[in-house]
Amino acid sequence: MIELTIDGTKVRVEKGTSVLEAAKEMGITIPTLCYYPGLSSYGECRVCLVEVVKGKNRSSLEASCAMPVEQGLVIRTNSEKAKKARKLVVELLIASCPTSKTLQDMASNMGINRIRFKIKDRGCILCGRCVRYCKEQMRSGGIGFVGRGTSRRVATAFGVTPAECRNCGGCEWICPVCERACTANNLINGLCGGCQNLAPVETCAICTGCSESVGAHGHTVY
Amino acid sequence: MKKLGSAVELEQLRKKIASQRDPKRTCIVTSVGTCGLARGAAGVAQAISAELKKDGLNGSVDLRTTGCHGFCEIEPVVVIYPKRIVYQHVTPADVPEIISETVSKGKIITRLLYTNPATGRKIVREQTIPFYGKQYRLLTDSIRFIDPHNIEDYIALGGYSALCKVLFDMHPEEVLDEISRSGLRGRGGAGFPTFRKWESARNAPSYDGIRYVICNADEGDPGAYMDRSLLEGNPHSVIEGMIIGAYTMGSHHGYVYVRNEYPLAVENLRIALDQARQYGLLGRNILGSNFDFDIKISRGGGAFICGESTALMASLEGRIGEPRPKHIHTALKGLYGRPTNLNNVETWANVPLIINRGAKWYTTIGTEGSKGTKIFSLVGKINNTGLVEVPMGITLREMVYDIGGGIRGGKKFKAVQTGGPSGGCIPESLIDLPIDFDRLAESGSMMGSGGMIVMDEGTCMVDMARYFVKFLTEESCGKCVPCREGLDRMLDILTDITEGRGKKEDIELLEELGDVIKEASLCGLGGTAPNPVLSTIRYFRDEYEAHITDRRCPAGVCKALITFTVDAVNCTGCRVCARECPQGAISGEKKEIHFIDQGKCIKCGLCRDLCKFDAVLVS
Ligand SMILES: Cc1cc2nc3c(=O)[nH]c(=O)nc-3n(C[C@H](O)[C@H](O)[C@H](O)COP(=O)(O)O)c2cc1C
Ligand code: SF4
Ligand code: SF4
Ligand code: SF4
Ligand code: SF4
Ligand code: SF4
Ligand code: SF4
Ligand code: FES
Ligand code: FES
């Protein structure tokens, strides 16, 4: 067993647990996107950043999903430093994938009220959940990453459905972005302004429960 | 060649080589590194050998082709020993004269001598060229004595004696202790203490006993070629360092990961490895010590990111060269999941020196926290460009003025970018900064692998930052969000600023973005990529403000923000500019003041460069 401190409370967890999972066991929620239970950790999206205290005035930010617990670690999941970085990361994510409802809701929960970066809709946040699902759960290799830098994308070999594909549909199902598309047709300051993002808020006449993150006041219909 | 079976046999060989060599004999050295080759050094070497045969001198004169001597600007270089007369920019046509005059009669050919630009004087001997004056060529000096295709040249200089010492007289713990006391820090970028890495790799458990040592020769920084030069010119020093490291860590398998764009380095290394094997210095039972170790070459695909340790190991295993989180150190679980130690080429080359001459001697060179020397590639708006090796702690001023010979064209020095594309800019006000790992980091830059780009007053710092960020955006592997998207947006903002669309909030946004990219990125590329932006904001904030608030580029570089006009006082009406302007934007009668049509001008700057009367103004 390994003992560490998360948000001031000492916890003991099994060796090999990630900081994210350890926090979860304590009931602390850390936002995640590329993480998915049962898939290997990947460390792409960085929305799960936490502050690792390394001395009196020294600390660093680490992706909690990809960080195994270590004896004596001191973690702050909700410090100003961590929150600030997470917010900027979500701002960058929305700038590259504004049509994702998951992201728009996340922005709203974090109190982001405008996107200061150029919007370049890439339709994918390259979280690799589909790629890992395909490889690790379906033991297929239907899809993978191609390209480098901003040209990086998820693709099948030669652009056709490969023979290894089992047509399970898992890759689509697991995508945090395509899963629930945002339906707003114009963005204000990079935000959709839908659901709980804009005040005043109303509740739909017939709520279909499309949003998990229903705020105190419900949503506006679009 | 019979395999050397013991240290005694190696010593006997060394004596034999020494007895066959006469230091007083004439020896003609041609430097045939990549830079020399590019300028026709191979043809010169061939011409020398043919000419000697023709004159019947081939029995009495020695010939040697070596790696780069460092002063790339004067290549192809021919040096004639024992007097060490140096000729620059030699062509095959000069060769007959060199043989008939200098080699046969001892006469100097003035035309081929190097001229000191500061004094206008011709210089005869290589060692008196001011470029070499303040250098301390600990690792690089021997290059001029070594034909990299001939292991005996290296052995003649005492090569592999450090290995003997380690194999037969030292326990691995003692080697570790020596390296620890030497204070050696990694030359690949971060300056991590070498002994700590070695110690972790040595002590890390391996389920099947396999451990790896790797030499990082990926060298992806544009304009940097220190590692290439060492591998080309003195490959055995790197090999010897690796064997010593392997012995210390109990490893039997080594790799050199070298980029594919370095064909000559790969070739010379391959030959050196073959020869070391033939001589019993590599492979099974090295020098009869019962220690086995061999080295393979792995050629990298040439991506900048493949120099990062975890990406390098992924690439070596045949996977995509992408970094992974380093919470489990590669020293514990690296290549193929085994304990692995990775060091830079230059780091490895320091090892035999430390063993031979002792940690105590080594610590006399350098500063408190950074020991030894560092090789830099000195380039940019400077008179003397090339590879320089200096003791740690030398000041920027000495680098720029004494070694570099000052700024080209008598312009004013503005700043220097150290540490490659993701290093930082150090301004003129810090010119007396001693260069070592810690001082550079404090100033917002870093040592990096040792690139040093000198900039003059004609450089726009915003444009410069933009250039580096563009490079890094293209080289980012694209795995994690802060680096992939963050750098891309940083580039957008910088482009806007240089094109006159900057907004007041941009500077703060760049700072916020830069801090988060540094802190939140997965690997060292994103972890350092904002440095050029953050350091130029730190030292040249006014330049950013001028671009944004006044829509003005003080250095006159950013095209969208400058206009070219003709100065009525200086213009003589010579018509040169009007004739050459690609847009036909300049009009005016002969001997009358000319005029630039701003609607047609594309700001190519040709008129300013052509005008002999400094009559074209940029504002
Ligand atoms: C993006 C990136 C590129 C790198 N490129 C190189 C390189 O080309 N050569 C090198 O020796 N180290 C490079 N490094 C540093 C290596 O990761 C590693 O720290 C180094 O090789 C360790 O050797 P040392 O301890 O001898 O310095 C790079 C690091 C990063 C983050
Ligand atoms: S549908 Fe095909 S590509 Fe997608 S996860 Fe399943 S097997 Fe892989
Ligand atoms: S398609 Fe979806 S799951 Fe796949 S990488 Fe893109 S965002 Fe992630
Ligand atoms: S009110 Fe209901 S239907 Fe409307 S957006 Fe919210 S959850 Fe969706
Ligand atoms: S920091 Fe950049 S280079 Fe490094 S893993 Fe992330 S995207 Fe790739
Ligand atoms: S080249 Fe110079 S001096 Fe000649 S016409 Fe043009 S501006 Fe005038
Ligand atoms: S800057 Fe170029 S295009 Fe403009 S006037 Fe001069 S030569 Fe012509
Ligand atoms: S959830 Fe941790 S980096 Fe994506
Ligand atoms: S997430 Fe876009 S409308 Fe709700």
Side-chain angles (χ1 to χ4, degrees), chain B residues 285-599:
Chain B
N285 194 13
I286 294 175
L287 288 175
S289 66
N290 278 328
F291 175 63
D292 307 335
F293 177 67
D294 210 338
I295 298 174
K296 290 194 185 121
I297 301 178
S298 170
R299 300 208 203 178
F304 180 66
I305 191 62
C306 287
E308 194 276 340
S309 52
T310 58
L312 183 148
M313 288 175 205
S315 170
L316 243 173
E317 290 174 16
R319 293 181 288 121
I320 302 175
E322 255 172 37
R324 62 160 176 80
K326 261 198 281 199
H327 297 299
I328 301 174
H329 289 292
T330 50
L332 304 179
K333 256 186 168 177
L335 190 64
Y336 301 112
R338 309 310 204 293
T340 304
N341 176 70
L342 173 75
N343 278 125
N344 167 262
V345 173
E346 200 181 325
T347 316
W348 287 119
N350 270 291
V351 171
L353 269 171
I354 294 171
I355 298 299
N356 265 332
R357 302 178 66 175
K360 204 164 163 217
W361 161 81
Y362 193 78
T363 52
T364 59
I365 312 160
T367 60
E368 181 69 35
S370 310
K371 299 298 181 195
T373 60
K374 176 78 192 87
I375 311 178
F376 288 94
S377 92
L378 188 62
V379 295
K381 305 285 176 61
I382 198 158
N383 279 315
N384 307 331
T385 59
L387 278 191
V388 305
E389 183 178 353
V390 290
M392 297 273 190
I394 193 170
T395 65
L396 265 183
R397 187 189 295 279
E398 291 168 288
M399 285 292 267
V400 172
Y401 290 100
D402 298 338
I403 296 172
I407 305 297
R408 225 181 277 159
K411 289 203 178 155
K412 222 176 134 252
F413 169 64
K414 184 169 188 175
V416 46
Q417 166 90 6
T418 71
S422 53
C425 244
I426 303 173
E428 212 264 331
S429 57
L430 292 179
I431 192 160
D432 289 310
L433 187 83
I435 302 168
D436 71 9
F437 286 111
D438 310 315
R439 295 292 96 66
L440 284 177
E442 279 163 24
S443 71
S445 183
M446 60 183 199
M447 182 73 87
S449 53
M452 196 168 265
I453 306 170
V454 179
M455 289 166 276
D456 68 13
E457 55 193 328
T459 313
C460 167
M461 301 318 273
V462 187
D463 183 59
M464 205 268 327
R466 197 190 79 92
Y467 169 83
F468 287 123
V469 171
K470 182 155 189 288
F471 172 85
L472 293 160
T473 308
E474 282 159 7
E475 293 299 327
S476 153
C477 82
K479 177 170 174 174
C480 73
V481 175
C483 171
R484 180 185 71 231
E485 304 299 337
L487 286 180
D488 184 53
R489 297 315 190 283
M490 200 166 218
L491 181 60
D492 287 342
I493 301 171
L494 290 165
T495 307
D496 278 353
I497 298 179
T498 56
E499 293 182 354
R501 295 183 300 269
K503 295 191 288 290
K504 242 176 76 201
E505 321 81 82
D506 282 352
I507 300 181
E508 264 167 44
L509 185 56
L510 282 175
E511 284 175 321
E512 187 186 335
L513 191 55
D515 286 343
V516 171
I517 296 174
K518 275 180 92 157
E519 284 266 9
S521 289
L522 195 160
C523 85
L525 191 146
T528 52
N531 283 344
V533 178
L534 295 175
S535 65
T536 47
I537 294 182
R538 175 164 162 193
Y539 297 117
F540 299 94
R541 200 182 187 99
D542 53 334
E543 250 178 75
Y544 279 83
E545 281 162 358
H547 281 77
I548 295 169
T549 331
D550 313 338
R551 300 275 185 251
R552 190 171 61 80
C553 173
V557 171
C558 299
K559 285 187 182 177
L561 302 177
I562 53 176
T563 45
F564 289 84
T565 49
V566 174
D567 174 17
V569 179
N570 282 345
C571 177
T572 62
C574 70
R575 290 210 48 77
V576 167
C577 60
R579 259 203 314 273
E580 298 296 330
C581 170
Q583 295 305 103
I586 310 181
S587 56
E589 293 300 315
K590 212 170 170 171
K591 299 204 172 157
E592 286 188 8
I593 299 163
H594 280 50
F595 170 79
I596 297 178
D597 181 346
Q598 298 301 337

Side-chain angles (χ1 to χ4, degrees), chain A residues 124-130 154 175-177:
Chain A
C124 166
I125 57 166
L126 300 169
C127 69
R129 262 164 51 167
C130 53
V154 174
C175 176
V177 167

Side-chain angles (χ1 to χ4, degrees), chain B residues 564 581-583 585-586 596 600-608:
Chain B
F564 289 84
C581 170
Q583 295 305 103
I586 310 181
I596 297 178
K600 286 188 187 163
C601 172
I602 53 162
K603 299 169 187 176
C604 69
L606 195 63
C607 50
R608 176 182 46 173

Side-chain angles (χ1 to χ4, degrees), chain A residues 44 46 118 120 122 149 152, chain B residues 322 476 479 488-489 520:
Chain A
E44 181 263 355
R46 321 306 279 179
K118 217 162 264 175
K120 298 180 178 174
R122 306 192 209 276
R152 186 177 168 99
Chain B
E322 255 172 37
S476 153
K479 177 170 174 174
D488 184 53
R489 297 315 190 283

